[in-house]
Amino acid sequence: MCGIFGYIGSKKNAAQTVLSGLKLLEYRGYDSWGIAIKPQNLKLKTQNEKLIIDKHIGKIGKAVIGNKLSVISHLAIGHTRWATHGGVTDKNAHPHLDCKKEIAVVHNGIIENFEDLKKDLKNKGHKFASETDSEIIPHLIEEEMKTTKNIEKAVKNTFNKLKGMNALVVSSIKSNEIIAAKTGSPLVVGKGEEDFYLASDASGILPHTKNLLFMSDNQMVILGKKPKLLNLLDGKTEKMTFEKATWETKFEEKGDFPHFMIKEIGQQSTIIRSIAKNIDSQLEKLTAAIENAHGTFFIGAGTAYHAGLVGTYLFSKISKRHVNMAVASEFNYLLDFINKESLIIALSQSGETIDVIEPLSIAQKKGSTIASLVNSPGSTIFRMSDIKLLLNAGVEQAVASTKAYTAKVSKLLIISYMIYKREDEASKQLLLAAEEIDRIIKEKEKLKPVADFLSKSENVYIIGRGVSFATSLEAALKIKEVTYIHAEGLAGGELKHGTLALISKGTPCIVFAPQDETYQAILSNAIEIKSRGGVIIGVGPKKEDVFDYFIQVKDCLDANPIAQIVPAQILAYLIAVKRGLDPDKPRNLAKSVTVK
Ligand code: F6R
């Protein structure tokens, strides 16, 4: 999590460049932000010449450069924070400084051994201003400088002391360089005509240059007049090879929409239509790999996990194939039986989720084939995959994933039918779902009474059977993350095994009831809930007596999970707005989860 942006070069307004970069990276963390600049014309003759630091709590939003930073500067580093160690305060915001306030550091990751290192530094007399793990870095560098007298060596020695997955960027009042090092957390260098950019995600750099260098783990880069790339394991210099990005990251404005979430919900039908019409060669490659693999595993986190779960039902029903699905963070503990004949298919919107990257790297070392369905070209997962499928859903800016979810499920539907050699059928069903989504969105006002009812609830239970079980999990996730209402999705069959005990008079329960093989059984579950006082919100093609509220979703055959999730997304959005919350940036969450 956390966004890092750095600039060094001929532009005179480094702070402005960094601020604009941070705004593009704000999706990575938005509880506070800060910038450090090295002002121009420093003679370093007096003790007063210092880095200028500006830190703020809250979202960057429309922030502008204040007086403090509006001096000529060719070097700046900045950070947008998602708190891990220490609350959301000015002091905990990055950049952090050493005792002499000469070294500024921004950091992404978690320093696993920070307590021991901090204790040691305190014993040596260092004073700390924040509760963060990150603040030990400038102090460690300061300490190293005493013996090395060289910032490059000091950063290198410091980095080698840190345990965990970390990316750090350093600037010192005494050097005209930005120094950065990483392991785990991403860092990308951009090379302009007369300058360098550094960011945790290429999307922040692409407005300036397409020449990119994706840093590998245990590399350190020194950006300045004599740029250098070092391998921190053997200390050797490596060639700085920049590749040309072939993609663009088009950030959109909200336009007439009050929030990105509702805009992105509305884009889904267009994306699905485009997926239905474009069967690319990578899809064929993936289908062949699935057919040849000895064991196929989907992995993903959160919404991506739910998309994969839908996939397991589609593969079983349509292609008569067993696919294993694992929550990515748990896959670490299930890797023993993975071998070079295994195929791992990673699902990820950002392509940067550490919980996905970690097991993928292990599987890759074991020789497994890695395939991925990701939305961000150039992302870590995309680059490390043998078979790369882009979702082409466009940049998803709202934290809650909507269009990337339906894009993933649409691609999985196509793949299931491709294995069965009937991709034409998948396309037809996707077009059906797209039409139904358009209707649901056009008539979204009809969902308001349900949203009003749910917005007063503390709990909501959501059930489905078969593929709709996965939909119920995703619907629950959407509701809880943007409305902060406790929402629980479960398989209809599981009700009697415990959760029914929580149903009492007035408890809302959303029931996904498509007219498939689950229909009768899920209606029986609805009746069981109703007879305990529950209020039933039925979602499906047909109104039934047991429903207190009815949300119609016409039958879209195997594309049902795609159409069915849309009213749940809209409900989550409407409830959040009704409760006065910002659905685009829910509390405690970030768009890209790059720490474990
Ligand atoms: C939920 C949501 C998260 C992500 C999860 C994985 O709306 O956005 O649950 O789905 O953090 O992220 P990606 O897909 O980027 O790997």
Side-chain angles (χ1 to χ4, degrees):
M1 339 268 271
C2 303
I4 287 177
F5 200 92
Y7 174 80
I8 179 163
S10 58
K11 289 183 188 167
K12 291 179 184 163
N13 55 352
Q16 182 56 55
T17 307
V18 167
L19 180 69
S20 310
L22 289 179
K23 283 182 181 175
L24 295 179
L25 298 177
E26 198 183 16
Y27 69 87
R28 302 178 71 90
Y30 40 80
D31 50 40
S32 51
W33 61 279
I35 295 178
I37 65 168
K38 181 175 175 179
Q40 179 65 351
N41 301 328
L42 277 187
K43 305 271 183 313
L44 293 177
K45 281 188 185 145
T46 72
Q47 288 300 310
N48 295 331
E49 288 170 328
K50 294 204 167 71
L51 295 165
I52 302 176
I53 312 286
D54 199 12
K55 307 201 219 189
H56 300 267
I57 295 175
K59 299 169 190 165
I60 302 184
K62 298 195 168 62
V64 289
I65 291 294
N67 286 344
K68 215 171 169 185
L69 294 180
S70 46
V71 294
I72 294 178
S73 166
H74 300 285
L75 190 165
I77 60 174
H79 187 267
T80 170
R81 182 169 185 247
W82 182 86
T84 55
H85 292 65
V88 181
T89 62
D90 273 348
K91 288 200 168 139
N92 289 340
H94 299 216
H96 292 289
L97 299 169
D98 64 324
C99 293
K100 290 193 223 141
K101 306 202 180 335
E102 291 182 345
I103 299 162
V105 173
V106 293
H107 166 237
N108 179 15
I110 293 177
I111 305 168
E112 287 168 6
N113 55 338
F114 99 99
E115 274 167 352
D116 291 345
L117 293 170
K118 189 166 178 175
K119 205 154 119 199
D120 193 41
L121 285 164
K122 274 186 175 170
N123 289 339
K124 288 178 177 150
H126 288 262
K127 297 268 179 295
F128 291 87
S130 79
E131 300 153 326
T132 64
D133 55 343
S134 314
E135 196 190 358
I136 65 161
I137 303 171
H139 292 274
L140 283 172
I141 299 172
E142 181 181 24
E143 199 55 36
E144 286 290 336
M145 285 291 282
K146 289 180 190 162
T147 46
T148 62
K149 315 275 182 222
N150 174 305
I151 184 80
E152 192 182 308
K153 281 190 192 144
V155 176
K156 185 177 152 202
N157 294 350
T158 297
F159 188 77
N160 286 337
K161 283 186 178 161
L162 308 180
K163 290 206 177 120
M165 298 197 173
N166 296 291
L168 55 93
V169 178
V170 183
S171 86
S172 155
I173 194 76
K174 294 196 173 142
S175 97
N176 280 319
E177 289 160 338
I178 291 181
I179 303 180
K182 72 139 235 159
T183 183
S185 298
L187 273 183
V188 189
V189 180
K191 186 174 186 293
E193 292 283 309
E194 296 176 325
D195 39 23
F196 286 105
Y197 302 81
L198 187 75
S200 13
D201 177 343
S203 60
I205 297 178
L206 286 176
H208 305 283
T209 173
K210 286 197 176 293
N211 298 320
L212 304 177
L213 184 156
F214 292 91
M215 287 178 68
S216 302
D217 285 352
N218 295 303
Q219 279 187 330
M220 181 167 112
V221 72
I222 295 111
L223 302 175
K225 286 243 159 65
K226 290 185 186 155
K228 195 158 68 170
L229 185 66
L230 282 179
N231 182 327
L232 291 176
L233 298 177
D234 59 15
K236 290 196 178 133
T237 308
E238 297 193 337
K239 195 166 174 246
M240 286 183 93
T241 311
F242 288 84
E243 55 185 91
K244 261 235 159 6
T246 48
W247 69 93
E248 292 200 37
T249 308
K250 281 198 196 128
F251 289 96
E252 292 181 28
E253 297 295 324
K254 275 187 243 164
D256 294 335
F257 294 88
H259 300 98
F260 281 111
M261 185 177 175
I262 194 69
K263 178 170 184 176
E264 288 164 4
I265 289 172
Q267 291 170 338
Q268 294 180 107
S269 57
T270 310
I271 297 162
I272 293 163
R273 283 192 182 97
S274 149
I275 291 174
K277 287 175 194 153
N278 295 300
I279 300 197
D280 62 35
S281 58
Q282 289 290 305
L283 268 171
E284 278 159 16
K285 212 169 155 191
L286 180 58
T287 312
I290 294 169
E291 279 168 345
N292 294 328
H294 190 72
T296 299
F297 303 81
F298 287 140
I299 62 168
T303 286
Y305 166 66
H306 299 150
L309 201 56
V310 171
T312 60
Y313 285 94
L314 298 178
F315 272 57
S316 163
K317 185 175 170 200
I318 302 163
S319 16
K320 318 290 178 226
R321 285 239 155 209
H322 171 68
V323 184
N324 303 275
M325 175 76 222
V327 169
S329 57
E330 287 298 308
F331 199 56
N332 282 322
Y333 317 114
L334 292 168
L335 282 164
D336 289 337
F337 49 83
I338 298 296
N339 57 41
K340 54 182 185 316
E341 283 164 54
S342 316
L343 170 67
I344 321 292
I345 306 178
L347 301 159
S348 176
Q349 189 288 128
S350 62
E352 296 294 354
T353 303
I354 199 73
D355 292 324
V356 182
I357 295 170
E358 206 183 12
L360 270 190
S361 313
I362 299 171
Q364 196 157 46
K365 283 192 192 118
K366 287 184 164 209
S368 308
T369 303
I370 307 295
S372 63
L373 269 78
V374 299
N375 200 32
S376 306
S379 59
T380 306
I381 296 175
F382 184 74
R383 283 182 291 112
M384 73 191 284
S385 302
D386 305 303
I387 304 169
K388 311 165 199 279
L389 262 99
L390 276 179
L391 296 175
N392 291 322
V395 181
E396 198 177 58
Q397 278 161 270
V399 165
S401 188
T402 53
K403 60 179 180 172
Y405 175 75
T406 46
K408 283 183 207 115
V409 177
S410 302
K411 292 260 181 191
L412 291 172
L413 181 68
I414 299 237
I415 298 164
S416 338
Y417 267 105
M418 276 179 92
I419 295 172
Y420 182 55
K421 315 261 181 274
R422 285 298 311 276
E423 51 271 31
D424 53 330
E425 184 56 32
S427 297
K428 262 193 240 158
Q429 296 187 14
L430 287 177
L431 295 176
L432 205 63
E435 201 176 309
E436 184 56 359
I437 290 172
D438 279 342
R439 185 194 63 79
I440 293 166
I441 290 173
K442 203 165 144 214
E443 297 175 10
K444 67 174 183 302
E445 290 300 305
K446 286 190 185 165
L447 295 171
K448 277 211 162 135
V450 186
D452 289 349
F453 166 61
L454 291 177
S455 67
K456 294 176 209 120
S457 312
E458 279 178 20
N459 302 291
V460 49
Y461 297 91
I462 307 175
I463 58 168
R465 282 174 177 256
V467 73
S468 304
F469 162 49
T471 310
S472 72
L473 295 181
E474 174 55 12
L477 181 62
K478 281 293 90 69
I479 291 176
K480 64 186 143 190
E481 70 178 323
V482 300
T483 72
Y484 314 154
I485 292 172
H486 168 244
E488 192 175 325
L490 68 157
E494 281 292 286
L495 260 181
K496 289 198 262 309
H497 300 290
T499 310
L500 205 53
L502 297 174
I503 306 295
S504 59
K505 195 167 181 321
T507 309
C509 186
I510 300 176
V511 178
F512 285 107
Q515 277 187 310
D516 59 12
E517 67 279 15
T518 68
Y519 195 59
Q520 288 310 329
I522 203 74
L523 286 184
S524 302
N525 291 140
I527 292 164
E528 285 155 11
I529 295 168
K530 187 146 176 157
S531 52
R532 272 113 188 142
V535 178
I536 308 295
I537 300 146
V539 184
K542 195 163 153 241
K543 186 166 176 6
E544 294 286 347
D545 291 345
V546 67
F547 298 159
D548 297 288
Y549 293 92
F550 172 55
I551 298 171
Q552 192 181 35
V553 178
K554 291 180 193 154
D555 192 12
C556 300
L557 308 166
D558 292 319
N560 267 337
I562 299 167
Q564 273 182 344
I565 194 61
V566 176
Q569 295 169 339
I570 300 173
L571 278 178
Y573 172 78
L574 292 174
I575 299 167
V577 173
K578 177 98 189 156
R579 294 184 138 215
L581 304 169
D582 177 358
D584 285 348
K585 292 196 167 80
R587 71 183 176 203
N588 306 339
L589 300 179
K591 188 73 188 153
S592 187
V593 183
T594 56
V595 291
K596 263 175 100 171

